[in-house]
Amino acid sequence: KQEVTQIPAALSVPEGENLVLNCSFTDSAIYNLQWFRQDPGKGLTSLLLIQSSQREQTSGRLNASLDKSSGRSTLYIAASQPGDSATYLCAVGGGADGLTFGKGTHLIIQP
Amino acid sequence: DTAVSQTPKYLVTQMGNDKSIKCEQNLGHDTMYWYKQDSKKFLKIMFSYNNKELIINETVPNRFSPKSPDKAHLNLHINSLELGDSAVYFCASSRISEGNTIYFGEGSWLTVV
């Protein structure tokens, strides 16, 4: 059964730093991997989607990589801002089986 | 235009009641899902429907019954509500042939008192 682990569980850094969030999964038979952002009391915002045949995706200051063979993904955030403070969720799978989520990384960017 | 919409957004109800959460998607997707986010913020799939047929039914109490009248709707009925049912319930949809990007609704916050 697929298991998704996110490290660290929580992270607090000063504004302006570059940072990396890690995600690992146990079963490499996935359709895709998605990174989401969730603000307190809010729904999910999709940040990046990487198909199983792709290695990385970029959107603005965000870059996500996927190494399916090793079951790992990273989300790189450049020049962090206080507005980036949120919980970041990694999810893998796809197809009719839906997504399996990690427990998230709670990120705080200090002004 | 809201892609995946669910109602109500907030629901407070007493133990033992029966309630429903409705979900509709206007994306023409063929697969819909219900996810539950518990008090520890962990998201887990509950049900998956493809073309109105049940694909996944995780270990969910049979008090929870999804109903899909058509491909654009997947409603969640909950009977005999318990305190532990308090959570945020997310509806989602996707089209498997389009790389299966999954789109989520904004969530329904259920509180059982």
Side-chain angles (χ1 to χ4, degrees):
Chain A
K1 189 173 182 180
Q2 181 74 269
E3 291 184 3
V4 180
T5 302
Q6 290 188 245
I7 295 174
L11 181 63
S12 180
V13 300
E15 179 179 5
E17 284 199 5
N18 303 323
L19 54 99
V20 175
L21 308 182
N22 296 292
C23 172
S24 62
F25 48 96
T26 55
D27 186 349
S28 61
I30 61 172
Y31 283 91
N32 56 48
L33 181 145
Q34 284 186 251
W35 282 94
F36 294 89
R37 168 184 173 144
Q38 187 173 31
D39 293 282
K42 302 290 185 182
L44 301 173
T45 300
S46 181
L47 297 173
L48 290 164
L49 167 73
I50 309 177
Q51 300 292 353
S52 62
S53 58
Q54 298 174 325
R55 297 284 291 184
E56 66 176 341
Q57 284 288 332
T58 298
S59 176
R61 295 181 294 107
L62 305 180
N63 175 274
S65 67
L66 173 63
D67 184 342
K68 207 171 73 161
S69 60
S70 67
R72 296 181 186 275
S73 175
T74 60
L75 178 66
Y76 176 82
I77 303 177
S80 59
Q81 303 171 357
D84 295 332
S85 298
T87 296
Y88 290 80
L89 296 163
C90 170
V92 302
D97 292 345
L99 292 170
T100 301
F101 281 83
K103 295 187 177 181
T105 293
H106 182 55
L107 176 64
I108 296 175
I109 307 299
Q110 306 154 11
Chain B
D1 291 341
T2 303
V4 182
S5 59
Q6 49 184 114
T7 57
K9 183 166 185 177
Y10 301 101
L11 179 58
V12 181
T13 188
Q14 291 186 327
M15 285 175 53
N17 284 351
D18 303 337
K19 291 294 177 185
S20 295
I21 306 173
K22 296 184 177 181
C23 179
E24 176 182 5
Q25 54 92 5
N26 62 5
L27 298 167
H29 288 167
D30 55 10
T31 306
M32 296 186 72
Y33 315 83
W34 276 106
Y35 287 81
K36 178 180 179 180
Q37 188 171 40
D38 60 24
S39 58
K40 296 182 179 179
K41 309 300 183 188
F42 185 45
L43 262 165
K44 189 173 181 181
I45 192 166
M46 300 173 67
F47 301 102
S48 165
Y49 268 74
N50 177 254
N51 288 318
K52 296 172 52 182
E53 297 294 325
L54 179 65
I55 303 299
I56 289 179
N57 181 354
E58 290 292 318
T59 52
V60 177
N62 57 15
R63 297 181 295 104
F64 290 78
S65 55
K67 287 183 172 59
S68 181
D70 55 58
K71 287 197 294 185
H73 296 84
L74 181 62
N75 303 322
L76 183 64
H77 301 275
I78 315 172
N79 296 323
S80 302
L81 278 156
E82 301 177 357
L83 292 176
D85 297 333
S86 296
V88 185
Y89 293 85
F90 287 96
C91 178
S93 73
S94 70
R95 185 194 294 272
I96 295 179
S97 62
E98 290 181 353
N100 204 55
T101 303
I102 296 182
Y103 296 83
F104 282 80
E106 296 192 344
S108 294
W109 273 253
L110 172 65
T111 302
V112 182
V113 297

